[in-house]
Amino acid sequence: MAQNPGEVLDHFNLFRQPEYVEMLTNKKKNFENPVPDQEVEKIRDWTKTQEYREKNFSRTAVTINPAKACQPLGAVFVAAGFEGTLPFVHGSQGCVAYYRSHFSRHFKEPTSCVSSSMTEDAAVFGGLKNMVEGLANAYSLYKPKMIAVSTTCMAEVIGDDLNAFIKNAKEQGSVPQEFDVPYAHTPAFVGSHVTGYDNALKGILTHFWNGRERVADEKINFIGGFDGYVVGNIREIRRMFDLMGIGYTILCDPSDTWDTPTDGQFRMYDGGTTLEETKLALNAKATVSFQEFCTEKSLGFCAEKGQEVLALNHPIGVAGTDKFLMEIARLTGKPVPEALTRERGRLLDAIADSSAHIHGKRFAIYGDPDFTYGMAGFLMELGAEPVHVLATNGGSAWQTKVTELLESSPFGKGCHAYAGRDLWHMRSLLFTEPVDFLIGNTYGKYLERDTGTPLIRIGFPIFDRHHHHRYPIWGYQGGLNLLVKVLDRIFDDLDRNTNVPAKSDYSYDIIR
Ligand code: SF4
């Protein structure tokens, strides 16, 4: 069916026209080697069984729908958090198109990132020429203050040496000798986006800190880690630190980069940790990270430089925020101000108001290691049960820590942590041990459709809902935001399940 320029149909309606329905049916019949519907249903039913779950959990050779992305994505995130910094990925264009689109779809903002455009010849002979030309072009076209280099699979497989390449490019005049070009190898076939975050941040700290003498001061460095709520969260952390009256440096702050105003001016770079702040951050008394499993190497490096380091796990809710604030109070000697104590009380009040609706509800959670840990703790605070906690990029240390957390509360009884498992494993869990709600990123909508488990979108990426990243999930205010998000879905579901007239609508209440 040809489109009519006077009434262009969206794809919702276009592909429901008889011509398309017929075409798609014929395509299935003639080209897709279809098996009878009955057989499909039979196998589908079998994949919901305990027998299939056991087979699924014993698979070793394949990963299906991993809840993670590759290392360079995390490296690009880090670069976006520094003043005037252009992320430069040594590798192929397609990978970089993916990083740009992933961030742009989540934050609904353009994300600048360039590649060295390696193709077949570079894969055979090495990518030095691409680095030399790429740095020169990026420097003269986009006028950055710093270029932060990372790598894709291709560059790592052929073993390109970033240190030597960047030195070589500087010698050939691609960028001035003194121009800042920190780098990190980010092999995409190991680890995940959180490993890439860690490597890239350590690369920038190493670039600015090595060779300098540390003169300790009283400031605190703060690292948020890879975080889809960075726009809201970093602003919330700044607000809390300002209320406490402490001196601090946020190491990697892309909150302005991914939240530029519409005022007629395109900002390729906006905000970010300044390069001067980054240098001086060496002198900080301590570095606090909100993501233990996302910043292991960076924190290790800070400790080597003589700083006290503190690793938390996404302080979500009351206990997580209490711990964070008490540690900051200990480190700085500044008391927690009354304003924050009152916020705590308000969150507790909200929890108490709604506990009857959350208490005893069963949840499955998936996402990054520190997020799932924090979220599981918050759910138990609410009296809910985090029955399945899954992190594809979680390791054995994460699994042990989550297991200890679950064992510390009666609401964690019968709940389990699954490290290194993917969303196809989660599907088996949802069919064989059903829960009331699923918490995860946008990809969970397919699990919702498949298993009937209502999805509460919390995580990264969120592509099919807008602006969630503007609202913090950390601190007492963040806890309140999460509480509302969870409650809204519980009430939506309650309404949906009680709205049949004269059948179930005796519970279709105005007041919940
Ligand atoms: S996994 Fe490798 S090929 Fe795929 S986007 Fe990441 S770097 Fe590129």
Side-chain angles (χ1 to χ4, degrees):
M1 177 196 157
Q3 284 274 26
N4 172 2
E7 193 195 357
V8 175
L9 294 183
D10 197 339
H11 57 93
F12 297 128
N13 294 321
L14 181 68
F15 295 127
R16 291 175 190 186
Q17 303 304 309
E19 295 88 336
Y20 277 101
V21 171
E22 189 188 342
M23 185 188 78
L24 293 170
T25 308
N26 288 339
K27 179 170 167 275
K28 188 171 178 190
K29 199 165 79 190
N30 299 322
F31 298 106
E32 293 177 2
N33 192 22
V35 288
D37 289 350
Q38 228 181 355
E39 185 63 15
V40 172
E41 280 313 310
K42 196 175 118 197
I43 298 298
R44 197 203 301 273
D45 283 344
W46 175 63
T47 64
K48 300 173 185 173
T49 62
Q50 183 67 29
E51 181 195 358
Y52 181 81
R53 169 176 163 168
E54 280 155 27
K55 287 187 185 303
N56 192 11
F57 272 75
S58 61
R59 82 179 133 88
T60 54
V62 64
T63 301
I64 306 169
N65 291 342
K68 64 167 189 168
C70 66
Q71 281 209 43
L73 187 81
V76 172
F77 186 111
V78 169
F82 286 86
E83 175 198 19
T85 298
L86 185 66
F88 180 112
V89 186
H90 183 47
S92 48
Q93 296 223 29
C95 304
V96 175
Y98 151 57
Y99 314 139
R100 280 193 299 254
S101 67
H102 223 57
F103 286 129
S104 298
R105 287 168 182 172
H106 176 84
F107 292 111
K108 314 299 180 201
E109 287 284 333
T111 299
S112 301
C113 178
V114 296
S115 85
S116 59
S117 295
M118 287 172 69
T119 50
E120 288 81 351
D121 56 339
V124 176
F125 301 112
L128 175 61
K129 195 162 152 270
N130 301 64
M131 178 68 77
V132 172
E133 285 178 12
L135 282 180
N137 287 337
Y139 179 74
S140 57
L141 277 174
Y142 301 120
K143 316 251 177 301
K145 287 193 173 167
M146 173 162 93
I147 297 178
V149 180
S150 56
T151 49
T152 68
C153 295
M154 190 207 262
E156 289 299 323
V157 167
I158 60 176
D160 280 1
D161 178 350
L162 289 185
N163 185 28
F165 280 20
I166 292 166
K167 266 192 191 147
N168 210 315
K170 284 189 169 181
E171 276 159 18
Q172 296 190 42
S174 299
V175 296
Q177 278 292 347
E178 66 284 0
F179 186 76
D180 293 309
V181 188
Y183 65 88
H185 285 275
T186 48
F189 35 80
V190 290
S192 72
H193 54 290
V194 303
T195 328
Y197 180 102
D198 198 12
N199 286 335
L201 185 61
K202 185 180 171 217
I204 289 177
L205 299 183
T206 305
H207 174 82
F208 284 108
W209 291 2
N210 271 1
R212 275 173 209 274
E213 197 180 335
R214 177 168 176 262
V215 184
D217 61 27
E218 290 301 306
K219 282 178 128 182
I220 302 292
N221 294 331
F222 174 83
I223 303 174
F226 191 108
D227 170 29
Y229 296 82
V230 67
V231 170
N233 275 341
I234 293 288
R235 288 174 185 166
E236 180 62 10
I237 292 299
R238 283 189 187 280
R239 190 185 68 84
M240 291 166 84
F241 281 164
D242 289 344
L243 279 172
M244 287 190 77
I246 64 170
Y248 63 91
T249 304
I250 307 276
L251 286 175
C252 181
D253 177 6
S255 58
D256 287 339
T257 313
W258 281 319
D259 194 21
T260 59
T262 293
D263 56 5
Q265 181 196 346
F266 170 66
R267 296 165 174 83
M268 189 154 185
Y269 314 103
D270 198 11
T273 310
T274 67
L275 307 191
E276 195 54 30
E277 281 175 314
T278 311
K279 281 178 208 159
L280 293 175
L282 167 66
N283 301 334
K285 179 180 187 179
T287 295
V288 178
S289 164
F290 262 17
Q291 297 203 45
E292 176 187 6
F293 297 105
C294 183
T295 52
E296 285 170 295
K297 291 178 198 155
S298 300
L299 284 185
F301 183 67
C302 295
E304 269 172 35
K305 294 291 173 191
Q307 298 173 2
E308 182 174 344
V309 296
L310 174 67
L312 303 168
N313 312 89
H314 256 297
I316 295 174
V318 182
T321 308
D322 286 355
K323 185 171 177 203
F324 163 57
L325 290 177
M326 286 190 295
E327 288 289 356
I328 296 297
R330 177 185 65 78
L331 285 167
T332 59
K334 304 248 182 181
V336 177
E338 173 67 13
L340 289 176
T341 308
R342 288 181 70 88
E343 283 178 20
R344 181 183 193 276
R346 291 186 195 115
L347 175 58
L348 281 172
D349 188 53
I351 292 171
D353 291 344
S354 310
S355 71
H357 291 279
I358 296 188
H359 190 276
K361 291 275 187 305
R362 291 160 55 85
F363 288 81
I365 315 166
Y366 69 88
D368 287 341
D370 294 285
F371 163 70
T372 46
Y373 183 93
M375 195 69 215
F378 184 45
L379 286 176
M380 292 196 295
E381 243 170 34
L382 301 175
E385 297 166 20
V387 178
H388 312 303
V389 186
L390 182 147
T392 307
N393 48 358
S396 55
W398 170 84
Q399 184 158 316
T400 304
K401 194 160 178 175
V402 176
T403 304
E404 284 167 6
L405 175 74
L406 297 172
E407 285 171 354
S408 70
S409 162
F411 300 111
K413 195 161 180 276
C415 303
H416 293 100
Y418 299 92
R421 300 298 184 175
D422 56 40
L423 295 188
W424 194 251
H425 292 115
M426 180 60 97
R427 180 180 180 274
S428 279
L429 293 172
L430 294 177
F431 275 126
T432 53
E433 284 180 80
V435 295
D436 298 306
F437 296 94
L438 171 66
I439 291 178
N441 61 19
T442 285
Y443 294 112
K445 73 192 288 180
Y446 298 108
L447 285 173
E448 179 180 43
R449 181 178 64 176
D450 203 3
T451 67
T453 316
L455 171 68
I456 302 172
R457 286 168 176 77
I458 308 172
F460 175 90
I462 306 289
F463 291 151
D464 61 342
R465 298 291 185 271
H466 292 197
H467 308 307
H468 290 201
H469 62 275
R470 297 175 195 276
Y471 298 91
I473 63 167
W474 292 342
Y476 302 123
Q477 293 293 347
L480 197 56
N481 288 338
L482 280 183
L483 178 68
V484 171
K485 206 185 274 267
V486 171
L487 282 168
D488 276 355
R489 187 67 217 244
I490 290 175
F491 293 134
D492 282 349
D493 215 49
L494 196 52
D495 283 347
R496 212 180 343 263
N497 291 332
T498 55
N499 66 1
V500 182
K503 197 168 173 198
S504 61
D505 65 345
Y506 50 82
S507 295
Y508 191 53
D509 293 334
I510 291 293
I511 301 165
R512 297 288 191 198

